[in-house]
Amino acid sequence: MTPSVMPEAARKPSSGFDLKLYGPFLALAALIVLGTIVNPVFLSPGNIGNVLTRTAFIGIIAVGATFVITAGGIDLSVGSLAAFASGVMIVVMNALVGSMGAGVPVILIGVLVALGLGLAAGLVNGLLVTKGRMEAFIVTLGTMGIFRSLVTYIADGGTLSLNSEIRTIYRPVYYGGVFGISYPILAFAVVALIGALIMYRTRFGRYCAAIGSSEDVARYSAINVDRVKLLAFVLQGVCVAIAVVIYVPRLGSASATTGLLWELEAIAAVIIGGTMLKGGYGRIWGTVVGAVMLTLIDNILNLTGAVSVYLNGTIQGVIIIVAVLLQRGTVARR
């Protein structure tokens, strides 16, 4: 790759303090100190485990969003896709119980259905963006409405509930674990590790950053821009499906409100983590920290009672605005 298209994420950090690199970790440390001051229970193993388990859904989705945003795109459909995939997954498993009985094979088929839907949805979004030459914002705004309306139609405006026998068998996927670590946390860790390896150690990760920095220059450098962007959206869809697989056993239901505003939280986690909203710079570990920070804020609000938990969305919105302002300030100083 020529120096002119070397992605920002692949460059060596400049001398001095790198706000994008270390800022999220310092903010996380500050939140931990604040939480400890607010309530001693904050650092208890039970509370920390609960925070990380709840972080897993958004965190997994945010890992996929990091690639899309790094490549200069955005996906607003992730929350609606999660609701749609959850609903279809539940309907399929319930339908199979009559012929196959309640057992692990039914759950495995449901998992494959969710993964297939996630992959297909990412493929559709990616093709509309790359082959249809449409803005990612418009495409995913449209599919967001489509997926949300489809799950509402399937549920007939109500709630889809998983068969009680299947839910009993499936329940440990969310509530179980090994060595005191829940399966959602382990899944989040594995997805984050794989995401980091792809972002930092493969050409695909470097190409995402190069495309986000300058799509035209990336094309001149013989990078298959359409293929990379398509794969980024597919990866996002698969990450949503993985989140759905560990989310469904939590409540055993899906409705039109499932996954509501998950797109906001995923994008917030990515931006807070230091990934540039305009593309060209991506940090997987920063995204992980950003996702944990969002859950910690909600947890601290619950523990203190000083500020209504209903203001969590307001706080998240302010954080996004501040994070983008800081990014603009960093870019302007260069």
Side-chain angles (χ1 to χ4, degrees):
M1 184 178 294
T2 61
S4 60
V5 297
M6 180 65 72
E8 194 171 353
R11 296 173 187 158
K12 293 181 180 179
S14 57
S15 58
F17 182 76
D18 189 336
L19 183 62
K20 290 195 297 296
L21 182 60
Y22 300 110
F25 295 93
L26 293 177
L28 176 62
L31 274 178
I32 292 174
V33 172
L34 176 61
T36 305
I37 294 173
V38 166
N39 195 321
V41 176
F42 176 79
L43 285 180
S44 66
N47 186 62
I48 296 299
N50 179 55
V51 166
L52 293 178
T53 300
R54 290 173 56 201
T55 300
F57 311 122
I58 298 301
I60 291 172
I61 294 173
V63 168
T66 304
F67 288 93
V68 173
I69 293 176
T70 300
I74 196 166
D75 192 341
L76 301 177
S77 68
V78 294
S80 298
L81 174 57
F84 177 58
S86 297
V88 173
M89 184 181 181
I90 288 172
V91 169
V92 169
M93 287 193 290
N94 286 347
L96 291 175
V97 170
S99 58
M100 297 180 62
V104 174
V106 170
I107 295 174
L108 291 178
I109 293 175
V111 169
L112 290 177
V113 167
L115 292 173
L117 284 173
L119 190 151
L123 188 62
V124 169
N125 283 337
L127 286 174
L128 287 173
V129 170
T130 57
K131 302 303 181 183
R133 302 303 174 191
M134 299 172 65
E135 291 293 332
F137 179 88
I138 300 299
V139 169
T140 57
L141 184 64
T143 53
M144 176 179 71
I146 292 170
F147 294 142
R148 186 70 65 184
S149 65
L150 284 175
V151 71
T152 305
Y153 173 77
I154 294 172
D156 197 20
T159 300
L160 296 166
S161 298
L162 187 61
N163 176 279
S164 59
E165 294 180 78
I166 289 292
R167 186 184 177 190
T168 300
I169 299 171
Y170 198 5
R171 185 180 172 88
V173 171
Y174 177 81
Y175 293 98
V178 292
F179 303 115
I181 303 174
S182 71
Y183 290 126
I185 297 175
L186 293 174
F188 182 23
V190 170
V191 170
L193 180 59
I194 293 174
L197 290 174
I198 294 174
M199 178 65 80
Y200 304 134
R201 301 295 182 182
T202 69
R203 287 184 297 176
F204 175 73
R206 295 192 295 272
Y207 288 171
C208 282
I211 293 169
S213 294
S214 176
E215 187 170 320
D216 289 336
V217 174
R219 290 185 189 277
Y220 293 144
S221 302
I223 295 175
N224 192 325
V225 173
D226 287 353
R227 180 184 297 172
V228 172
K229 292 173 74 172
L230 177 62
L231 287 175
F233 279 101
V234 169
L235 184 59
Q236 172 73 95
V238 171
C239 284
V240 172
I242 294 172
V244 164
V245 168
I246 62 174
Y247 175 81
V248 168
R250 180 192 179 204
L251 299 176
S253 63
S255 68
T257 60
T258 298
L260 194 63
L261 296 181
W262 278 13
E263 58 277 353
L264 171 65
E265 295 185 49
I267 294 171
V270 174
I271 302 307
I272 292 169
T275 295
M276 299 293 289
L277 185 58
K278 66 181 182 62
Y281 183 96
R283 291 290 182 188
I284 294 295
W285 297 122
T287 294
V288 171
V289 171
V292 173
M293 284 176 60
L294 290 175
T295 310
L296 281 181
I297 290 170
D298 186 46
N299 184 249
I300 291 172
L301 291 179
N302 281 317
L303 289 176
T304 180
V307 180
S308 173
V309 293
Y310 297 120
L311 292 175
N312 190 29
T314 300
I315 294 173
Q316 289 180 4
V318 171
I319 289 173
I320 294 174
I321 293 171
V322 171
V324 173
L325 284 174
L326 289 174
Q327 287 183 358
R328 286 182 177 273
T330 302
V331 172
R333 289 193 296 270
R334 292 186 172 182

